[in-house]
Amino acid sequence: MFRPQIKVLDCTVRDGGLINNWQFSDDFVRKVFLALARSGVDYMEIGYKSSEKYFSRKDNGAWKFCTEEDLKRIIGDTGAKMKLSAMADIGRIDQEDIPLKKDSVLDMIRVACYVKEVDKGIRLAHQCIDKGYEATINLMAVSKVLERDLDEALDDLSKSQVETVYIVDSFGAMYSEQIHFLAKKYREALPGKELGIHAHNNQQLAFANTIEAIIAGANRIDATLYGMGRGAGNCPLELLLSFLKNPKFDIRPIFEVIQDLFIPLKTEVEWGYHIPYMITGVLNEHPRSGMKAMAEKNLPDLRKFYEGLLDDEPLE
Amino acid sequence: MFRPQIKVLDCTVRDGGLINNWQFSDDFVRKVFLALARSGVDYMEIGYKSSEKYFSRKDNGAWKFCTEEDLKRIIGDTGAKMKLSAMADIGRIDQEDIPLKKDSVLDMIRVACYVKEVDKGIRLAHQCIDKGYEATINLMAVSKVLERDLDEALDDLSKSQVETVYIVDSFGAMYSEQIHFLAKKYREALPGKELGIHAHNNQQLAFANTIEAIIAGANRIDATLYGMGRGAGNCPLELLLSFLKNPKFDIRPIFEVIQDLFIPLKTEVEWGYHIPYMITGVLNEHPRSGMKAMAEKNLPDLRKFYEGLLDDEPLE
């Protein structure tokens, strides 16, 4: 698949940091940055933009905050041309905590929001656009959203200045048919805007669903190194770059950084396909109960875990 | 997806045995058998039918041979209605080593062959049919086969009495588009026959490609418990059964046996997604070099491993 419009965003440090509270050393993040820049990836999402009014540096590493000082420690004078992105969650950042683009090394702010708070999301995205950034809206957990509510949110987005809207399969619950259905719906509702995809791997479908979204027209594609990300993780960048035939990409720096950093890290920090995550994905549930199960010293009884989430009591 | 014609075959012991030379205890195989029978799976492929003229019991467990004596130790008087299958490889079994169906607890022989030996495969399958078995042909490694050669093999198969033909992605090299292309080709070339799918997980696409084949009309579906299988493994049965909506399936015994046997086994025996297998899959190569890399004490340099397989020297 070679479509020159396709842009790849690596969110390893941002999404992977959800596992270890962003406790990555500067050296680690710098190596990731350099490997991604060498591989031709378009954007690196280096963390969250969060307010220190709401979160402390005692509990969270630098990539929960992404101040200019944090960022400059990594970027330095590498001269890399890759763009930088940070994610902002509604209610976890105030607009005055985001500097003007001219005072920042960040190029893009991605606003993550639920469908019910899309108007807050659009407001924050507009504020970012006014400050000079590219801005996107990542509509989370849409596998749980009633179609009427989703249509209303897409209608609001269609009237906004936000240029890119992502399908986010937060629960790793979707099959290719749902991706196809949503991609068609988003494209029809959002003429002139770019479509993005952010997939989770609970059912080993993150890469496949990403391909499906690409076939259905998505041009803004999320992935992470070795699939690192909360719970079952994300679409692995190494698989995505192998699939995309764009000659601007070079996968070899990706193999190097996976071997140097991520294969060792996976023996210390847990992510990937495990039955508790598979069960929350299959049942279209938030992965939090799966993460709780995986964090226990002994894995709980899987049959009972499944039955407990089935929620199949009669309720007329 | 509920299509009553869909039949699921679990080949955990047969394909998983390629990792450990079928060194499974009788107790292990019996627990797998009972869990599969309870879950409603249609067929269990319990091993290979191979000749003791060519292979020794010293080097291989019972499930390399599947004599009636071996099988009866497992089945006993359980009264389970699940059908039993064994695989036969061309050149590793002589037809006189296969008893008449009336003297066997096996229901089906699946003949695995390369496209270049399809006529030997058809002959062996016909011999099995004449003895009273169901028989299938599993055309291996078709991702390497020139279309003209494949068309010729399909033409031979169309004239045979073999009722089921499988697409086998031996190298885990295919994307959904290739699955779709082959499924269409097989169905058009083989009117009146059933189509099957056997996928490998080198690119985390085994389950997704299985879904794609089902959408494209495949009714005979291979999977393994927890994805166990040679190299990157296979389509996980637990994911497949969750996708299929046929009420005859019950996933709960599957969770039990995965927890009791396969999560512990995975700490001893290695299978699943690893970069060396990903690389052979992406490059459409036999997984043997990946297995060699994984068997080394220290993982070889992945960038060099990739470059070594690229085989991109000019060769006019």
Side-chain angles (χ1 to χ4, degrees):
Chain A
M1 173 68 68
F2 175 30
R3 197 161 64 215
Q5 297 90 331
I6 290 176
K7 292 194 191 307
V8 171
L9 180 146
D10 178 276
C11 50
T12 304
V13 176
R14 197 271 304 164
D15 209 324
L18 289 163
I19 311 175
N20 70 350
N21 294 325
W22 301 275
Q23 304 294 348
F24 299 110
S25 71
D26 283 359
D27 183 56
F28 183 101
V29 177
R30 196 175 296 115
K31 281 179 175 159
V32 170
F33 172 81
L34 290 172
L36 294 174
R38 284 188 198 121
S39 75
V41 161
D42 299 282
Y43 293 84
M44 173 182 182
E45 187 160 84
I46 196 164
Y48 281 95
K49 202 79 190 146
S50 316
S51 172
E52 294 188 46
K53 282 175 280 185
Y54 307 134
F55 299 95
S56 86
R57 289 221 176 219
K58 208 176 118 230
D59 301 328
N60 296 284
W63 318 107
K64 176 76 173 173
F65 305 100
C66 293
T67 62
E68 293 307 309
E69 201 178 296
D70 295 324
L71 296 169
K72 282 173 188 159
R73 284 203 313 276
I74 302 306
I75 316 308
D77 51 2
T78 53
K81 292 213 181 74
M82 180 174 62
K83 288 186 176 182
L84 281 183
S85 159
M87 181 161 271
D89 274 337
I90 294 296
R92 298 180 173 188
I93 178 92
D94 298 324
Q95 73 124 330
E96 56 268 26
D97 297 316
I98 302 176
L100 294 174
K101 162 65 196 131
K102 73 178 176 57
D103 300 321
S104 176
V105 296
L106 289 173
D107 298 281
M108 180 163 73
I109 309 286
R110 300 205 302 170
V111 177
C113 63
Y114 289 103
V115 163
K116 63 185 174 188
E117 58 193 12
V118 68
D119 296 301
K120 290 180 186 168
I122 292 172
R123 183 177 61 189
L124 180 56
H126 280 174
Q127 288 162 345
C128 294
I129 291 169
D130 290 345
K131 288 180 181 183
Y133 296 97
E134 302 171 37
T136 76
I137 293 277
N138 295 36
L139 271 185
M140 297 185 290
V142 286
S143 59
K144 281 279 204 190
V145 175
L146 300 180
E147 192 166 357
R148 208 179 121 67
D149 298 334
L150 179 57
D151 287 340
E152 198 175 315
L154 292 175
D155 189 49
D156 291 343
L157 283 164
S158 75
K159 297 170 190 150
S160 77
Q161 297 165 53
V162 178
E163 286 183 353
T164 302
V165 178
Y166 284 77
I167 299 171
V168 183
D169 182 14
S170 304
F171 301 161
M174 294 189 198
Y175 296 112
S176 61
E177 285 159 307
Q178 280 127 340
I179 295 286
H180 208 86
F181 169 81
L182 287 179
K184 188 163 175 285
K185 176 185 281 294
Y186 280 48
R187 290 191 75 193
E188 286 171 4
L190 304 170
K193 298 194 190 297
E194 284 287 9
L195 178 64
I197 178 74
H198 179 89
H200 278 277
N201 211 23
N202 301 58
Q203 299 193 68
Q204 300 193 7
L205 292 174
F207 177 44
N209 284 345
T210 298
I211 292 176
E212 188 69 24
I214 291 170
I215 291 171
N219 281 332
R220 303 294 287 265
I221 314 300
D222 280 14
T224 65
L225 288 157
Y226 212 39
M228 187 188 192
R230 180 157 61 173
N234 297 79
C235 171
L237 181 66
E238 64 276 15
L239 290 170
L240 178 65
L241 293 191
S242 301
F243 173 74
L244 296 172
K245 302 296 179 221
N246 188 331
K248 80 178 176 180
F249 295 124
D250 181 2
I251 198 171
R252 294 170 303 175
I254 300 302
F255 289 137
E256 288 174 341
V257 76
I258 287 175
Q259 182 152 32
D260 291 348
L261 300 183
F262 288 87
I263 293 176
L265 184 64
K266 206 163 189 294
T267 65
E268 296 165 23
V269 173
E270 179 277 312
W271 75 87
Y273 178 74
H274 292 282
I275 301 292
Y277 303 140
M278 173 263 179
I279 289 174
T280 62
V282 160
L283 297 178
N284 193 17
E285 292 291 342
H286 193 288
R288 71 170 69 83
S289 59
M291 289 187 284
K292 188 162 165 278
M294 288 299 295
E296 286 178 28
K297 201 176 158 212
N298 296 307
L299 199 62
D301 184 294
L302 291 173
R303 178 180 176 138
K304 285 186 186 150
F305 177 77
Y306 172 76
E307 290 172 340
L309 284 176
L310 265 184
D311 207 12
D312 56 355
E313 272 186 55
L315 183 77
E316 221 266 352
Chain B
M1 173 67 68
F2 176 30
R3 196 162 64 216
Q5 297 91 329
I6 289 176
K7 292 195 192 303
V8 171
L9 180 146
D10 178 276
C11 49
T12 305
V13 176
R14 197 271 303 164
D15 210 325
L18 289 163
I19 311 175
N20 69 352
N21 293 325
W22 302 273
Q23 304 295 346
F24 299 108
S25 70
D26 283 359
D27 183 55
F28 183 101
V29 177
R30 196 175 297 115
K31 282 180 174 158
V32 170
F33 172 81
L34 290 172
L36 294 174
R38 285 187 196 120
S39 75
V41 161
D42 300 282
Y43 293 84
M44 173 181 180
E45 187 160 84
I46 195 165
Y48 280 94
K49 203 79 191 145
S50 317
S51 172
E52 295 187 45
K53 281 176 281 185
Y54 306 132
F55 299 95
S56 86
R57 289 221 175 219
K58 209 176 117 230
D59 301 329
N60 296 284
W63 317 106
K64 176 77 173 176
F65 305 101
C66 293
T67 62
E68 294 306 309
E69 202 177 296
D70 296 323
L71 297 169
K72 283 172 186 159
R73 285 204 313 276
I74 301 305
I75 317 307
D77 50 3
T78 54
K81 293 212 180 75
M82 180 173 62
K83 289 186 175 181
L84 281 182
S85 159
M87 181 161 271
D89 274 338
I90 295 296
R92 298 178 175 190
I93 178 92
D94 297 324
Q95 73 123 330
E96 56 269 26
D97 297 315
I98 301 175
L100 295 174
K101 161 65 195 130
K102 71 176 178 59
D103 300 322
S104 175
V105 297
L106 289 173
D107 298 281
M108 179 163 76
I109 309 285
R110 300 204 302 170
V111 177
C113 63
Y114 289 102
V115 164
K116 62 185 176 190
E117 57 193 13
V118 67
D119 297 300
K120 290 181 187 167
I122 292 171
R123 182 178 62 190
L124 180 55
H126 281 174
Q127 289 163 345
C128 294
I129 292 168
D130 291 344
K131 289 181 180 184
Y133 297 96
E134 302 171 37
T136 76
I137 294 277
N138 295 34
L139 271 186
M140 297 185 289
V142 285
S143 58
K144 282 277 204 189
V145 175
L146 299 180
E147 192 166 357
R148 207 179 121 67
D149 297 335
L150 180 57
D151 287 341
E152 198 175 314
L154 293 175
D155 189 50
D156 291 344
L157 283 163
S158 75
K159 298 171 190 151
S160 77
Q161 298 164 53
V162 178
E163 286 183 353
T164 302
V165 178
Y166 283 77
I167 298 171
V168 183
D169 182 14
S170 304
F171 301 161
M174 293 189 198
Y175 296 112
S176 60
E177 285 159 306
Q178 280 126 341
I179 295 286
H180 207 87
F181 169 81
L182 288 178
K184 188 163 175 285
K185 175 185 282 294
Y186 281 48
R187 291 190 74 194
E188 285 171 3
L190 304 169
K193 298 194 190 297
E194 284 286 10
L195 178 64
I197 178 73
H198 179 90
H200 278 277
N201 212 24
N202 301 59
Q203 299 193 68
Q204 299 193 6
L205 291 175
F207 177 43
N209 283 344
T210 298
I211 292 177
E212 188 68 24
I214 291 171
I215 292 171
N219 281 332
R220 303 295 286 265
I221 315 299
D222 279 14
T224 65
L225 288 156
Y226 212 37
M228 188 189 191
R230 178 157 60 173
N234 298 79
C235 171
L237 181 67
E238 65 275 15
L239 290 171
L240 178 65
L241 292 191
S242 300
F243 173 75
L244 296 171
K245 302 298 182 220
N246 189 331
K248 79 178 177 180
F249 295 124
D250 180 3
I251 198 171
R252 293 170 304 175
I254 300 303
F255 288 137
E256 288 174 342
V257 75
I258 287 175
Q259 182 153 34
D260 290 348
L261 300 183
F262 288 87
I263 292 176
L265 184 63
K266 205 164 190 293
T267 64
E268 295 164 24
V269 173
E270 181 277 311
W271 75 88
Y273 178 74
H274 292 281
I275 300 292
Y277 302 140
M278 174 264 178
I279 290 174
T280 62
V282 160
L283 297 178
N284 193 16
E285 291 293 340
H286 193 287
R288 71 170 69 83
S289 60
M291 289 187 285
K292 188 161 165 279
M294 288 299 297
E296 286 178 29
K297 202 177 158 213
N298 296 308
L299 199 61
D301 184 295
L302 291 173
R303 177 180 175 137
K304 285 187 188 149
F305 177 77
Y306 172 75
E307 289 172 341
L309 284 175
L310 264 184
D311 207 12
D312 56 356
E313 272 186 55
L315 184 77
E316 222 266 352

